[in-house]
Amino acid sequence: MTWEIALLLVQDGISTGAIYVLVALGIVLIFLVTRVIFVPFGDVVGYAALTLAALQLGQMPGTVWLVLTLAAIATVMEVVSLARQGDAHRIPRALLFYAVLPILPAAVVYFASMHALPMWLATLLTVAVVLPISPLLYRIAFRPLADASVLVLLIVAVAVHFAMSGLALLYFGPEGFRTEPMTRAFFDLGALTISGQSILIVVSSALFSFLLYLVFERTLIGKALRATAVNRVGARLVGILPSTTGATAFLIASLLAAISGILIGPIATLYYDSGFLIGLKAFVGAIIGGLVSYPATAVGAILVGIFESFASFWDSALKEVIVFSSLIPILVWQSFTSHTGVEEEIEEDESEGQA
Amino acid sequence: MPAITRLLFALAIAFLAAAPFLFGSFTITLLNYIAIYAMATLGLVLLTGVGGLTSFGQAAFVGIGAYATAWYTATQGGSPWIGLILSLAMTAIVATVLGAATLRLSGHFLPLSTIAWGIAIFFLFGNLDMLGRYSGLSGIPAIRIGQLSFEGTTAAYYFCWIVLGLAMLLCHNLLDSRQGRAIRALRGGTALVESLAINAFRMRLAVFVLGGVLAGLSGWLYAHVQRYVGPAPFDVRAGIELLLMALVGGAGQIVGAVIGSAIVTLIKNILQDVLPAFTRYSAQLEVVVFGVLFIVLLQKARGGVVLMIKRLLPRPKPRPVVDAPALPPRAHQQTAAQNPVLSVRNAVKRFGALIAVNDVSFEVRSGEVLGLIGPNGAGKSTLLNLITGVLKPNSGTIRFQGTDITTLPSRRIAAAGMARTFQHVKLRPNMTCIDNVMLGLYPRTGAGFLTGALRLDRKEEASARHEALRQLQRVGLGGKYGDLAGNLALGQQRLLEVARALAADPTLMILDEPAAGLRRLEKQTLSDLLRGLRAEGMTIVLVEHDMEFVMNLVDRIVVVDFGAKLAEGEPALIRADARVQEAYLGGVA
């Protein structure tokens, strides 16, 4: 391997890694706030990329149907539970959040998809239609189980992933898509040629990470999210509703997923199930950060990107094997360095599974 | 076992034995798959339902087992029986490596990594030349014993179900043995497990490997019944189907493995008949249906089918405890009466800027009852945690019977002869009282996994049960030995913890607020019991807020306040101490 190739691989790895950073930050955010290990997050990324691809081809993206279905289920669940609690006066608000707000972008996309759209509009519509997916999934699958153990929530998350990826095949079919790059510019830096798309990816990733930081540091809702992550009971005692912070975390994460999907679309051919693998690689990055630290997660995600880029150079067929097997030494390293492991684990609800 | 349960079992076995005469070969093939999946699910039942761990990679273990024997028998021409050894050894090795890497970390890292390596193994199967890449390996021979070949569908059927039956029997025996109780205790946190001299990490690893080996066995059956292996049935999707089987059946129920496997396989079969009529992507839609089923199941009926049925059946009567020779007492290190059993020297524990225990020193002499008192937040519980090894002090030394235990983990300290109860009762509510007490006997007994599974431990078990009943009777719970610990009142649960501590036959007992929540008469019984123990030479450290209880019982008192030792001496002296009065009453009374 020459230096030029190594540099090329590193550059390639950093731009893929920058996307993993956004995905991994979303995963850590959701985990810290709701204790849900959101396995289907990668699928949401995939939906975003495929939605944009469909819009560019002038087709109606299946995401519209997904959002409509989820909104219908969530609305029914919310209305039924409010009616049962005798909180009928809150139903109009629930209808606004669970029916009107998700259906609005879906309807716009439905009608807009018949026309040729400029790039910026297609991108914007993609974000708008993907945004409700994660919060709706939270309402349907996870909120009814808010008090369950991390393990139960994880099993549900995996089940949601399988449902999502099955539906993705129905909506988008088995063909692969690649979206139009947002820029075709190239920059020559001596031996190295950097594509404008990679620069765009890295800059957007850095920008959104910084925005996330600002939200946490400077806004009340960000502080509420942090408070919930540190101590759920304490947050509840000072009037922070776990269901609200949970929905907010899923909403922010959904935004990150949409952006990641839009960014990765032009640099890789994506199939209905590609999102899952992207999500899992981001998970490897998040695990490097111990699922607790945002900066360490970002570093981990970049490392995974670089590692993957070298792995595909060595043996492209076994690329996935190499990337996922790297998780094992990482975990070994963590089990010897972390002391907060088993000892401080919250005791599981003992009657669980017997209820 | 109640008559009706026995009848159900007999009917099920009769049905299985007669099935080949009743059904066509399609149904029998389906039943073969049910048995093979049930074997892998059995591993998950132990892992998830009993041990509280979860794996999405069980199907990958099945794949390792299947490919190991397939490679050896189809490409090397070896015997399936050597292939069996290979299958089991390979899964055991892989499980050990993965378990060792992840089981020290908190609960969710294991399942998460099983997703990743489940995918990695699937790609590995599909990309290795020696394993036939995505086209797989064919020409795998059927299993033979001498002249007897299990080639036909019916022969394979009987073989699979007999092997499954044996595996279920062994697992059932195991769960009802010394190691099985330790496995059942894993669910619900490690603090209790480690305080019983059980190495929680090793026990988790053992369950994980056991689950893996059962999957390996399932893979071996799969390879030799199907006679062909390819990578497709071993991906993560198959892994979650196995998990679904375990949860549908009822996590923690051995029979649940078969019932769950049967239900899921039948639903799958129906979906495969019905869905193609609607869409050409029926395989994917099947996944969607399973995903939704799974979510509904976890939201609405987390207990599974077996528990629903169990609730309809009469509860089995507790097995009577038979007379048996006494367990040998533990070798107590003789400590001369004046030498301290426990000595704490300059112990300091900081949590960030907070100093919870500040330079505390005291000794516990052999055969005395020492009361440790102080206002709320004084640092008593932290001090107990330092002594029992739950926390490590920042500085200072703690010696137990002359040995430095400052840095030893809880289980080593427990093994050295210290037993404890907890301020917040730690019991296994779904185990019977006698099983909870028998957990305390872990360091006094020796049966291993194989001994337990093969029922070679019955003599020791009988003695252990007898001893456990004796300890229950001592605390006045003899009549409740068959009740679930979770059904006792709080006061009785505290007494149950005392019985469990007594069962370990300790040199030193640490009791953390044993009288809290007890009624007057119960307090009297406890007080008499502790007095009796002191007469027998037991040393006891007691944290308690009930001053009447403390003053009438203990020989000496150590008072702590704001993390520091305030006073030490006989009850009468402490009662008269002005500083103690100030600490409790906020001013000289």
Side-chain angles (χ1 to χ4, degrees):
Chain A
M1 181 187 294
T2 62
W3 275 108
E4 276 111 60
I5 294 177
L7 267 178
L8 198 70
L9 291 176
V10 169
Q11 183 232 320
D12 190 42
I14 288 178
S15 51
T16 329
I19 293 170
Y20 295 158
V21 169
L22 291 181
V23 182
L25 289 179
I27 288 169
V28 174
L29 171 66
I30 290 180
F31 177 69
L32 287 181
V33 176
T34 64
R35 297 179 309 131
V36 173
I37 296 179
F38 196 48
V39 178
F41 198 62
D43 296 294
V44 183
V45 177
Y47 270 92
L50 294 178
T51 303
L52 184 58
L55 284 176
Q56 287 180 348
L57 292 173
Q59 294 168 356
M60 213 277 293
T63 323
V64 170
W65 301 123
L66 178 77
V67 171
L68 292 180
T69 318
L70 292 179
I73 300 173
T75 308
V76 170
M77 285 176 82
E78 186 69 16
V79 168
V80 167
S81 90
L82 285 177
R84 267 197 202 152
Q85 290 165 15
D87 280 341
H89 62 281
R90 283 168 57 195
I91 289 179
R93 210 176 112 91
L95 286 178
L96 172 69
F97 276 106
Y98 290 104
V100 178
L101 284 185
I103 290 174
L104 218 57
V108 172
V109 169
Y110 180 84
F111 291 110
S113 63
M114 294 165 199
H115 311 280
L117 300 169
M119 175 78 90
W120 65 270
L121 188 58
T123 309
L124 206 66
L125 285 178
T126 303
V127 173
V129 78
V130 168
L131 213 49
I133 295 179
S134 309
L136 288 174
L137 286 176
Y138 170 66
R139 175 60 190 94
I140 295 167
F142 300 103
R143 223 180 81 191
L145 286 165
D147 296 321
S149 67
V150 175
L151 221 54
V152 170
L153 293 171
L154 173 58
I155 296 172
V156 172
V158 174
V160 172
H161 151 67
F162 280 108
M164 289 276 288
S165 81
L167 289 173
L169 178 58
L170 284 182
Y171 295 141
F172 299 105
E175 305 85 16
F177 294 95
R178 195 183 266 257
T179 54
E180 296 290 316
M182 292 170 194
T183 161
R184 293 185 191 279
F186 279 92
F187 302 95
D188 279 324
L189 287 179
L192 207 60
T193 309
I194 301 178
S195 72
Q197 183 70 26
S198 324
I199 294 177
L200 188 70
I201 289 172
V202 174
V203 169
S204 323
S205 171
L207 180 70
F208 281 101
S209 307
F210 181 68
L211 281 179
L212 193 63
Y213 168 81
L214 283 187
V215 168
F216 281 142
E217 289 295 320
R218 298 289 157 85
T219 67
L220 194 60
I221 185 76
K223 285 176 183 166
L225 288 176
R226 278 166 59 203
T228 314
V230 173
N231 188 331
R232 310 172 61 74
V233 179
R236 203 180 298 194
L237 287 178
V238 296
I240 298 171
L241 281 177
S243 55
T244 310
T245 47
T248 314
F250 272 89
L251 189 69
I252 295 176
S254 218
L255 176 67
L256 293 174
I259 292 160
S260 316
I262 290 164
L263 290 175
I264 204 168
I267 62 167
T269 306
L270 296 182
Y271 300 86
Y272 72 97
D273 59 351
S274 306
F276 180 51
L277 288 182
I278 296 170
L280 275 184
K281 284 170 196 160
F283 258 115
V284 178
I287 288 175
I288 294 178
L291 279 176
V292 284
S293 151
Y294 294 99
T297 298
V299 173
I302 297 271
L303 285 179
V304 172
I306 295 175
F307 188 63
E308 184 189 4
S309 151
F310 276 87
S312 58
F313 177 74
W314 289 321
D315 190 337
S316 67
L318 291 180
K319 178 178 87 170
E320 319 289 1
V321 181
I322 297 172
V323 173
F324 289 125
S325 308
S326 73
L327 193 59
I328 290 165
I330 292 170
L331 287 170
V332 173
W333 167 68
Q334 289 219 330
S335 59
F336 284 104
T337 52
S338 97
H339 298 288
T340 55
V342 175
E343 275 175 47
E344 293 182 21
E345 190 176 347
I346 302 163
E347 305 237 326
E348 205 178 323
D349 171 17
E350 304 198 342
S351 59
E352 199 179 80
Q354 310 281 330
Chain B
M1 213 188 276
I4 178 145
T5 316
R6 227 175 314 175
L7 182 70
L8 283 179
F9 258 103
L11 282 177
I13 288 172
F15 168 80
L16 287 172
F21 304 100
L22 303 174
F23 303 109
S25 71
F26 176 79
T27 309
I28 299 304
T29 307
L30 210 58
L31 282 168
N32 285 348
Y33 282 116
I34 290 177
I36 290 168
Y37 295 140
M39 182 73 85
T41 308
L42 183 59
L44 273 182
V45 164
L46 293 183
L47 200 64
T48 303
V50 182
L53 305 164
T54 294
S55 166
F56 296 104
Q58 189 74 349
F61 278 127
V62 178
I64 293 173
Y67 268 105
T69 191
W71 172 80
Y72 182 68
T73 53
T75 69
Q76 311 294 307
S79 144
W81 296 104
I82 309 275
L84 173 64
I85 296 171
L86 258 179
S87 296
L88 301 186
M90 279 297 286
T91 43
I93 291 168
V94 176
T96 308
V97 172
L98 282 168
T102 52
L103 288 172
R104 271 183 222 276
L105 293 165
S106 54
H108 45 274
F109 282 95
L110 173 74
L112 212 50
S113 57
T114 56
I115 298 180
W117 76 266
I119 291 179
I121 285 187
F122 169 73
F123 280 112
L124 196 65
F125 288 151
N127 283 298
L128 284 185
D129 276 328
M130 65 181 276
L131 298 182
R133 292 183 172 265
Y134 284 101
S135 44
L137 293 171
S138 53
I140 303 166
I143 297 160
R144 313 178 63 88
I145 304 176
Q147 291 304 305
L148 188 63
S149 163
F150 295 97
E151 194 171 340
T153 311
T154 310
Y157 167 82
Y158 282 116
F159 187 76
C160 290
W161 280 92
I162 288 171
V163 174
L164 175 66
L166 286 176
M168 286 170 63
L169 184 66
L170 291 182
C171 289
H172 171 81
N173 290 348
L174 175 66
L175 287 185
D176 183 34
S177 74
R178 172 177 178 259
Q179 304 288 2
R181 276 188 298 274
I183 293 172
R184 279 149 67 197
L186 284 176
R187 231 189 135 100
T190 46
L192 168 64
V193 180
E194 292 269 317
S195 83
L196 300 167
I198 299 167
N199 186 332
F201 168 70
R202 288 237 294 265
M203 201 50 75
R204 287 165 168 220
L205 187 58
V207 188
F208 190 61
V209 173
L210 183 63
V213 166
L214 285 167
L217 185 57
S218 162
W220 178 74
L221 286 173
Y222 178 90
H224 292 287
V225 169
Q226 172 99 348
R227 314 283 295 279
Y228 158 80
V229 296
F234 308 123
D235 60 4
V236 176
R237 190 205 301 178
I240 191 153
E241 261 173 34
L242 291 176
L243 197 57
L244 181 59
M245 290 177 187
L247 292 178
V248 167
Q253 310 291 330
I254 295 217
V255 211
V258 179
I259 295 180
S261 164
I263 293 175
V264 174
T265 311
L266 292 176
I267 292 181
K268 213 172 135 176
N269 195 49
I270 293 169
L271 287 180
Q272 278 165 1
D273 283 346
V274 174
L275 289 182
F278 298 101
T279 165
R280 61 199 169 101
Y281 301 123
S282 59
Q284 287 300 320
L285 207 59
E286 187 187 315
V287 171
V288 178
V289 173
F290 269 128
V292 173
L293 270 183
F294 217 131
I295 297 165
V296 172
L297 177 82
L298 284 170
Q299 287 187 356
K300 302 289 176 199
R302 243 182 280 170
V305 175
V306 175
L307 275 183
M308 287 183 204
I309 299 173
K310 263 195 173 171
R311 241 170 264 153
L312 300 177
L313 296 174
R315 209 179 117 64
K317 281 205 192 69
R319 233 177 328 141
V321 181
V322 289
D323 269 332
L327 280 179
R330 272 164 87 179
H332 289 283
Q333 201 175 319
Q334 282 307 314
T335 318
Q338 287 320 305
N339 285 345
V341 170
L342 181 78
S343 82
V344 177
R345 283 271 154 270
N346 309 105
V348 175
K349 179 66 189 177
R350 285 185 216 99
F351 296 108
L354 177 82
I355 304 180
V357 173
N358 190 3
D359 199 24
V360 172
S361 303
F362 67 92
E363 286 181 348
V364 184
R365 294 178 206 132
S366 179
E368 76 171 343
V369 177
L370 180 91
L372 186 59
I373 65 169
N376 285 326
K380 302 181 299 288
S381 288
T382 310
L383 202 51
L384 287 197
N385 282 338
L386 295 180
I387 295 171
T388 51
V390 175
L391 296 172
K392 307 275 166 269
N394 295 93
S395 66
T397 51
I398 301 165
R399 291 176 164 274
F400 177 48
Q401 296 180 309
T403 318
D404 188 347
I405 57 162
T406 316
T407 56
L408 287 187
S410 290
R411 59 173 181 280
R412 299 272 302 277
I413 297 172
M418 197 190 291
R420 72 171 297 185
T421 68
F422 293 88
Q423 184 187 355
H424 302 287
V425 175
K426 288 188 197 295
L427 290 164
R428 293 302 176 242
N430 295 316
M431 289 166 72
T432 57
C433 289
I434 196 163
D435 277 354
N436 268 289
V437 176
M438 285 172 87
L439 281 174
L441 287 166
Y442 191 86
R444 288 177 69 188
T445 44
F449 280 82
L450 210 56
T451 331
L454 296 173
R455 298 252 137 171
L456 300 173
D457 60 345
R458 289 299 104 179
K459 253 165 92 180
E460 187 185 87
E461 275 288 295
S463 298
R465 268 177 82 80
H466 190 251
E467 170 73 10
L469 182 65
R470 198 172 69 88
Q471 302 300 353
L472 276 171
Q473 285 163 344
R474 272 174 108 174
V475 300
L477 292 174
K480 299 202 173 262
Y481 74 94
D483 292 9
L484 292 183
N487 292 348
L488 297 185
L490 178 65
Q492 293 175 323
Q493 294 191 349
R494 291 206 178 276
L495 293 174
L496 185 57
E497 280 213 318
V498 174
R500 185 182 63 206
L502 281 175
D505 191 14
T507 312
L508 172 65
M509 265 210 322
I510 309 265
L511 303 178
D512 200 348
E513 301 195 18
L518 259 60
R519 280 175 288 190
R520 237 179 69 80
L521 271 176
E522 288 172 331
K523 275 185 191 172
Q524 192 57 48
T525 317
L526 179 64
S527 189
D528 292 343
L529 173 68
L530 297 182
R531 256 183 262 272
L533 290 172
R534 174 173 52 190
E536 290 168 27
M538 173 102 63
T539 315
I540 297 169
V541 172
L542 180 80
V543 167
E544 185 51 63
H545 279 297
D546 182 334
M547 283 306 144
E548 190 190 338
F549 185 85
V550 174
M551 294 295 172
N552 289 330
L553 179 70
V554 302
D555 300 300
R556 284 189 316 127
I557 291 178
V558 170
V559 188
V560 285
D561 191 23
F562 292 112
K565 187 166 85 173
L566 196 64
E568 179 175 2
E570 286 169 21
L573 277 172
I574 295 295
R575 220 185 317 220
D577 193 304
R579 287 168 307 167
V580 177
Q581 288 173 359
E582 192 186 325
Y584 270 90
L585 302 172
V588 180

